[in-house]
Amino acid sequence: MSAFQPVVDALDALPTTAFLVLDRGRVVFDHGETSTPHFMASARKSILSVLYGTAVTDGTIRLDATLDELGIDDTGGLLPQERRATVRDLLTSSSGVYHPPSTVAGPEESAPPRGTQPPGTLFLYNNWDFNALGTIFERCTGRSVFTALAEDLAAPVGFEDFDPARQRLLGRPEVSEHLAHHIFLSARDLGRIGTMMLQDGRWDDRQVVPAAWTSESTSVQVNRGADVQLDYGYLWWLPRLVGRGSFMAIGNFGQYLLCVPPGLAIVHLRAVPDDIVLARTQGTPLPAPIDSVSPQQFMKVVRLMSAALRP
């Protein structure tokens, strides 16, 4: 029996669409539709963090710039305290801005009342922060997030399946002016991002993302306490149980990119029909139920893969 058979069996028992493992860019396991672009859900946030790297490094975006300095407001107005939140606060999901987000996702429903938490004091996974970061990126750089994705990542890293027309700006503009930049990528293109990040931002002989940013953004910025196994960087999750220096992008329904130094990138995707994507972002009932792959199920497959890769 192949060493990978337990992995195949586990994947076949899940609603997995694609599973890909790269070691320093070399494919060691390829399962399912790894060349088909799929909805990234919240994994988009880690990709936005990658795009921020050059703009922060060259001073185009300052981490200590406040929303007030940047002219960021929203429907009905932000509170004076909320205007004091910085770009860094948003990158660590600690802004204290609890204005309703344009996209409906769930975590912010448990947010404290507006104005009760000063910026930078409470980590709360909050889609307002992530959506506003897209607006900030576009205003400061003069380019859309999707243009930057195409020019700063897809081109230099050599995406094989990238479709610029597939990317979508979604949300409810009547609720918030900051819409969500939803990204659609294949497993093998997402794996290339992971490989590039594990190589300190380099791809072949080109520095795609500043090395200092790859280190800072995937380092602990928010220690979430002894009882929580996931710390937080700048839009990256940091799993303690996997090993020091590991980092993850996580998206609802089963979208994962796990990066384990020195060079292991593990991608899991679960296809999501467009009508479900639209319903979820607009806050309308889902047209049909959809099974997800939980973080626990994904990590079980990762453990099986780790066992299969041992000499």
Side-chain angles (χ1 to χ4, degrees):
M1 183 177 73
S2 166
F4 294 122
Q5 191 59 49
V7 178
V8 173
D9 292 342
L11 292 171
D12 286 345
L14 297 171
T16 298
T17 303
F19 189 78
L20 180 69
V21 180
L22 305 172
D23 187 1
R24 297 175 177 85
R26 179 179 64 88
V27 176
V28 296
F29 187 82
D30 185 314
H31 181 87
E33 302 173 15
T34 55
S35 62
T36 303
H38 294 291
F39 176 60
M40 292 291 100
S42 287
R44 68 182 175 95
K45 298 157 189 174
S46 301
I47 298 169
L48 180 60
S49 175
V50 176
L51 296 177
Y52 257 73
T54 297
V56 170
T57 301
D58 66 16
T60 301
I61 299 176
R62 293 187 297 109
L63 295 185
D64 61 355
T66 66
L67 298 181
D68 191 46
E69 291 176 285
L70 295 169
I72 297 296
D73 206 342
D74 209 343
T75 305
L78 295 181
L79 302 176
Q81 175 175 282
E82 294 173 333
R83 295 174 185 272
R84 293 196 291 272
T86 66
V87 175
R88 181 181 282 104
D89 293 332
L90 271 66
L91 284 168
T92 56
S93 201
S94 306
S95 71
V97 180
Y98 304 131
H99 185 288
S102 65
T103 47
V104 178
E108 52 276 335
E109 292 177 357
S110 60
R114 291 181 65 185
T116 61
Q117 298 295 325
T121 60
L122 176 69
F123 173 86
L124 182 79
Y125 193 75
N126 177 8
N127 279 282
W128 191 93
D129 290 1
F130 311 129
N131 297 342
L133 283 168
T135 301
I136 291 169
F137 180 90
E138 295 190 339
R139 291 187 185 178
C140 290
T141 67
R143 295 190 301 156
S144 78
V145 168
F146 299 140
T147 297
L149 176 64
E151 296 177 350
D152 299 354
L153 274 181
V157 176
F159 284 7
E160 298 177 274
D161 312 303
F162 183 65
D163 181 1
R166 190 77 177 93
Q167 316 312 309
R168 289 287 183 272
L169 191 60
L170 298 172
R172 302 168 296 167
E174 72 278 8
V175 175
S176 171
E177 64 185 64
H178 308 296
L179 302 184
H181 293 82
H182 278 293
I183 293 172
F184 294 73
L185 296 178
S186 69
R188 57 184 183 175
D189 288 343
L190 186 58
R192 284 176 174 243
I193 293 177
T195 297
M196 179 270 298
M197 289 291 290
L198 286 164
Q199 295 172 166
D200 299 322
R202 294 190 66 83
W203 188 265
D204 293 334
D205 59 351
R206 179 172 177 176
Q207 192 72 44
V208 178
V209 180
W213 180 256
T214 66
S215 175
E216 183 177 356
S217 63
T218 61
S219 296
V220 177
Q221 304 296 332
V222 180
N223 185 315
R224 301 185 60 219
D227 296 333
V228 181
Q229 296 303 321
L230 284 172
D231 291 320
Y232 206 63
Y234 293 148
L235 308 185
W236 286 99
W237 295 100
L238 312 177
R240 297 177 189 170
L241 294 179
V242 177
R244 185 178 179 85
S246 300
F247 49 97
M248 288 182 71
I250 301 176
N252 196 25
F253 302 112
Q255 327 305 355
Y256 301 100
L257 167 62
L258 171 62
C259 300
V260 184
L264 198 64
I266 302 175
V267 180
H268 180 285
L269 298 180
R270 194 266 190 260
V272 183
D274 284 357
D275 58 350
I276 289 181
V277 172
L278 289 172
R280 184 171 180 271
T281 56
Q282 298 297 322
T284 57
L286 296 185
I290 179 170
D291 294 331
S292 299
V293 176
S294 70
Q296 294 78 13
Q297 290 171 319
F298 169 68
M299 292 308 300
K300 178 181 177 180
V301 179
V302 168
R303 289 192 293 271
L304 292 171
M305 177 56 65
S306 298
L309 293 175
R310 291 190 192 108

